[in-house]
Amino acid sequence: MTVTTLATGWHYRTPVGPFGGVFDAVPVTPVRLPHDALRDETRTPDAPARGAAAYYPNAGYTYLRDLEVPESWRGRIVRLEIQGAMRRAQVFVNDELAGNRADGYARFFVDLTPYLRFGETNTIRIELRVGQDSRWYSGAGLHRPVLLHVDEPVHIEPDGVVIRTLRVEDGEAVLEVLTEVTSRSMVTETVRVTTDIRFGADLVEHDETPLTLAPGETATARQLLYVENAALWSVDAPNLHTATVSLGAVSLDGGAGEGHAAPHEVTFGIRTITVHPRRGLRINGEEVLLRGACIHHDNGPLGAAAIGRAEERRIELLKAAGFNAIRAAHNPLSVAMLDACDRLGMLVMDEAFDMWTRFKSPYDYAAEFPQWWQEDLTSLVRKDRNHPSVILYSIGNEIAEVGTPHGARWARRLAEHIRALDPTRPVTNGVNAMLAVIDETPQVIEELGGLNAAMAGGGPFNAVASSPSASARIEESSAALDVLGLNYADARYAADAEAYPHRVIVGSETFPSQIGRLWPLVERNANIIGDFTWTGWDYLGEVGIGSIPYADDENASGALEREYPWLTAWCGDLDITGWRRPISFYREIVFGLRSDPYIAVQRPDRHGVATGTPSPWSWSDTVSSWTWSGFDGKPVTVEVYADGDEVRLLLDGDEVGRAAVGESLPKLASIETVYRPGELTAVALRDGREVGRTSLRTASAPHLTVTVDRAELRDDDDDLAFVAIEWRDSAGILVTDADADVTVEVSGAGVLAGLASGAPATVERFDAATRRTFDGRAVAVVRPTGPGPIRVRVSARGRGQERSEERELELTVRPAGG
């Protein structure tokens, strides 16, 4: 088997019918995959999906590529692997339909063999259509890699090697290796399946098994291997092994003959998973609490393009912020992100669907679910079952029909299908119990004693979700699961431990501001294995659900989502550039991972401005800065996050405020003071004794600074460089009120792939070369185009400066594999 990445050579254009382009040429644009074509379309206030899709339009695209097919491929099996095509993909070879797929996140294979012209240039055409089919920005295009597989008639099936850890005893790991082999030969053949297990360069196990196949047969070779002193995979020690599986022809005397196909290589980790209502989640026998982040699939300035380095960087930054788990909300993750989770030690809740049979958007996957669910679920499990980072499969998110008998039938069907494919991992479902009884909400609220009583009982989400009606409605579908995922229903945690003593629960989706109250519940209740906040990383679409509704905001419509030009949801711990917002540091303190307090300041220009009721996904409108030009002597609200019972606030050594911790939220103190430049220090106290302190200093004159995450790149479709463009003073302090337009020029062996700030509302484009910084920052993304040097030039005119500033960086691109 040979596998080739088809990242280059593609062009895309708008679709044309059979008569289109006959008299006039249709312009095409060259592109390197992965690629999101929708990102560069014009956003408009009247876009059909409005804020759900970040005011991007409905769209259709055609991707084209020539493929040279040599005569030597005749008699072989040629397949296209498409890791993600958004959406409703139709794949044509020489204008003949070869395959299709409805789901834009599903990885699928298309057999090109019957349609190829050997010894000629063939044309691949992939048609894609999106529009009003998602509750968030989904992008459009070949947003994940495309690969070409060329196999011998007798070959290992794609995803055909499965490696399971059966048990670990006294340091020895017992592995089961299942190798699925298919014969398209015209005669019966016997092959020898050889498996080598390596840890680094060391061969740690080996086995060989003969396997006989009749024409057209698929058979599975089963091998048991025993690895002594096994290096186990975990969050803190993500040890990875490699299995190399090869097929060799068997000679007439029973010995090994010539090689039958290129070896099949699988990276995996050795580890065990168990869940228990009184012992919780255990990995390799050790208890783990999931500090989880829900994430959407877009990469901010890159749109939906799942370029490997962007996926890896997100996991790096989320782990650095204190998370040890992510939830793939609400669709399968890319291969690149799972690979990064394996390497870096990030646990994964692997989610399949956002809907089953009931629509959430006018043209969403519910129309295709009854026909495609089995293939799409099979695709997810086969793709992901060798990834040690994947510890839970989720069959859905907020599925409305889980509260009905036939919805429970669907839940059992999906859960059992997963177990048949992979019995080693628990199955969950993100259940919104309030949604399950939404058809009888008035009656439920009446049962609870009215709306005021429901609000007093933890809010309507919690009150309705924990009602007797909700318990009865979700009981059957919940019984199909190994772990019940609860969205916004923490009131059930302790009660379910008594009512359903065999039930294991995970907080699959929770309000970010409530983590100070929720995490102690996770620590206290053995039946709760973790918490996943909505969301760990900000995302495009569902615009403004985490924003503060100021009374003077003309873009506030009174609805949950904001009006144009809002772009992002603004509910992430990290913004779309990867910058940590104050809520992230609050969460780190709640998790017990940070001992020093943290200072965040509410924007003084908003002080005293009336607000509506904030959404439950919002955090205060704060910035960690003590630089507020033009606000000397003006009132300001300072928030201090601290693991103590009291906070003292000092300005240049003088106390300017003192407050108890926990009056509004756990581990938070709010202090009213007056802004004056200087050094602001927060001192955390417990029982009158200092337990930590931190300071902010007023910045001096801002200067343009440019730094890059890595100066040496590879010439492949996976690599990127992220360039931080910031206004900092001579001491390195970020000047958050010095925003200005910055212009980025990239020359040499690279291109500007995207430019963004964290601004949640803007009319600026990601494909533009100029962007205004937000709170002192912007990020440029550079993508290599070939080996050689790249020069990045950034210019800007800072606030109050008469001359522009310029900075340059030089990067180097090494040849792929070099």
Side-chain angles (χ1 to χ4, degrees), residues 554-801:
E554 61 184 22
N555 290 319
S557 64
L560 181 61
E561 292 175 352
R562 291 300 195 94
E563 296 294 322
Y564 180 85
W566 273 80
L567 173 68
T568 74
W570 201 231
C571 62
D573 277 30
L574 283 72
D575 69 23
I576 62 169
T577 72
W579 185 251
R580 291 179 67 181
R581 299 173 63 206
I583 174 65
S584 173
F585 294 91
Y586 174 77
R587 187 181 311 278
E588 191 177 18
I589 289 170
V590 169
F591 284 156
L593 302 176
R594 178 187 172 100
S595 57
D596 287 331
Y598 185 82
I599 302 172
V601 180
Q602 295 186 17
R603 300 177 191 272
D605 63 326
R606 303 279 83 192
H607 192 277
V609 178
T611 64
T613 303
S615 90
W617 291 277
S618 66
W619 188 252
S620 58
D621 189 9
T622 50
V623 183
S624 185
S625 175
W626 196 241
T627 303
W628 302 101
S629 301
F631 288 92
D632 288 24
K634 300 290 180 66
V636 66
T637 303
V638 177
E639 296 178 358
V640 180
Y641 315 144
D643 185 14
D645 52 37
E646 189 179 25
V647 166
R648 295 178 64 216
L649 195 64
L650 312 176
L651 183 59
D652 292 333
D654 298 326
E655 184 171 307
V656 293
R658 183 186 287 252
V661 174
E663 291 185 344
S664 59
L665 287 175
K667 301 190 185 299
L668 186 149
S670 182
I671 300 173
E672 291 292 321
T673 187
V674 172
Y675 174 70
R676 177 168 53 83
E679 183 176 49
L680 186 72
T681 301
V683 180
L685 307 173
R686 187 183 301 117
D687 299 327
R689 299 181 61 183
E690 180 175 331
V691 292
R693 67 169 56 207
T694 193
S695 297
L696 294 176
R697 292 187 299 278
T698 303
S700 56
H703 298 282
L704 183 66
T705 65
V706 179
T707 56
V708 65
D709 65 335
R710 52 229 294 266
E712 189 170 295
L713 307 176
R714 301 179 314 277
D715 176 30
D716 61 31
D717 53 298
D718 281 330
D719 218 356
L720 298 166
F722 286 81
V723 179
I725 303 165
E726 299 173 323
W727 294 102
R728 293 188 179 270
D729 73 358
S730 57
I733 299 172
L734 184 67
V735 187
T736 56
D737 67 347
D739 290 320
D741 290 345
V742 294
T743 299
V744 181
E745 300 172 60
V746 179
S747 58
V751 294
L752 179 63
L755 178 62
S757 73
T762 179
V763 298
E764 298 165 300
R765 298 171 60 95
F766 292 126
D767 61 344
T770 298
R771 188 95 174 192
R772 188 168 184 82
T773 57
F774 175 75
D775 288 342
R777 298 184 72 258
V779 166
V781 188
V782 177
R783 192 173 192 184
T785 57
I790 300 175
R791 186 173 297 277
V792 180
R793 180 174 177 270
V794 182
S795 59
R797 186 180 295 277
R799 190 180 69 178
Q801 293 179 323

Side-chain angles (χ1 to χ4, degrees), residues 135 170 199 253 271 358 408 590 597 711 745 754:
R135 296 185 298 117
D170 300 325
F199 181 60
D253 62 4
R271 57 106 183 90
R358 298 188 184 183
V590 169
E745 300 172 60

Side-chain angles (χ1 to χ4, degrees), residues 184-246:
R184 290 201 191 177
S185 174
M186 299 302 291
V187 298
T188 297
E189 294 198 36
T190 299
V191 295
R192 182 168 292 276
V193 181
T194 301
T195 301
D196 290 331
I197 304 292
R198 286 183 169 82
F199 181 60
D202 297 331
L203 180 67
V204 295
E205 249 292 39
H206 167 89
D207 196 18
E208 297 183 17
T209 305
L211 187 69
T212 300
L213 300 101
E217 183 180 11
T218 296
T220 299
R222 178 178 181 268
Q223 298 169 318
L224 288 178
L225 292 92
Y226 304 86
V227 179
E228 296 181 356
N229 302 314
L232 304 184
W233 187 97
S234 68
V235 169
D236 297 324
N239 296 306
L240 294 173
H241 290 70
T242 302
T244 303
V245 183
S246 57

